Amino acid sequence: MATIAKRNREATQEELSLVRSYLLLTFIHKVFERDCRAIGKSGLFKMPQLYMELVSIGAKKTALMLQEVKRELESQNITISTIRQDQKGVEAQFKCRGIAGELHIQWPSFRREMTLRMRAYLGLAGEFPILAREETSTPMALSI
């Protein structure tokens, strides 16, 4: 199973989906911001501003969606206290309606969904899908 949730009482699928979206959007936003800076500093591009603009659009979309997810988490009384990553995946500890819970997403599933979302935010959703092959299990070098 790619996603594991532990809780004393059942959190709804919608509540778990909000926590999952928060994790994904947080990581995606950081990747877009880092990539934009890297493009600008690399000196490898003839016209880096074009690529930076594209990636910046993705970062802006992600930031707006992250704000909306944060509002929805607050309205449903869900607080995320800790986010950790290790060689297996990403884990969030949260409280939902005052009840502690955990959500763990393994790297292959997390990477796959990140890539799909990032492609959509960049307007590449139906173009040249590169997800047919299974990715390696190398952990992402991200920290939030």
Side-chain angles (χ1 to χ4, degrees), residues 124-141:
L124 304 172
E127 309 280 326
F128 305 106
I130 59 169
L131 300 175
R133 65 175 174 78
E134 194 63 30
E135 294 186 27
T136 62
S137 61
T138 306
M140 297 184 84

Side-chain angles (χ1 to χ4, degrees), residues 2-4 15-25 80 103-106 109-110 113 117:
T3 303
I4 302 166
E15 292 163 339
L16 292 173
S17 180
L18 278 171
V19 174
R20 183 182 185 97
S21 285
Y22 177 83
L23 291 173
L24 285 158
L25 287 166
I80 298 173
L103 178 70
H104 183 83
I105 309 169
Q106 294 177 353
S109 175
F110 197 78
E113 191 166 349
R117 287 183 179 217

Side-chain angles (χ1 to χ4, degrees), residues 87-138:
Q87 66 273 16
K88 293 180 182 178
V90 178
E91 177 185 280
Q93 294 180 344
F94 63 92
K95 282 197 176 183
C96 178
R97 292 174 269 118
I99 301 165
E102 290 181 358
L103 178 70
H104 183 83
I105 309 169
Q106 294 177 353
W107 280 122
S109 175
F110 197 78
R111 264 192 236 98
R112 199 170 20 260
E113 191 166 349
M114 270 186 71
T115 302
L116 288 171
R117 287 183 179 217
M118 289 173 80
R119 290 179 58 77
Y121 304 152
L122 293 174
L124 304 172
E127 309 280 326
F128 305 106
I130 59 169
L131 300 175
R133 65 175 174 78
E134 194 63 30
E135 294 186 27
T136 62
S137 61
T138 306

Side-chain angles (χ1 to χ4, degrees), residues 27-97:
F27 275 71
I28 290 168
H29 190 259
K30 291 209 175 271
V31 168
F32 278 145
E33 286 183 329
R34 184 195 64 213
D35 288 355
C36 193
R37 285 190 306 272
I39 290 167
K41 292 178 181 178
S42 74
L44 299 174
F45 295 87
K46 292 282 186 195
M47 300 182 78
Q49 64 276 12
L50 293 175
Y51 299 102
M52 289 170 59
E53 184 178 345
L54 179 66
V55 175
S56 290
I57 289 169
K60 287 176 187 172
K61 287 179 184 177
T62 304
L64 288 172
M65 294 177 78
L66 188 55
Q67 283 179 336
E68 183 58 37
V69 167
K70 286 178 181 180
R71 275 192 288 270
E72 191 63 27
L73 286 167
E74 188 176 322
S75 76
Q76 293 200 27
N77 196 25
I78 301 170
T79 56
I80 298 173
S81 56
T82 306
I83 298 172
R84 282 191 289 253
Q85 59 186 23
D86 60 21
Q87 66 273 16
K88 293 180 182 178
V90 178
E91 177 185 280
Q93 294 180 344
F94 63 92
K95 282 197 176 183
C96 178
R97 292 174 269 118

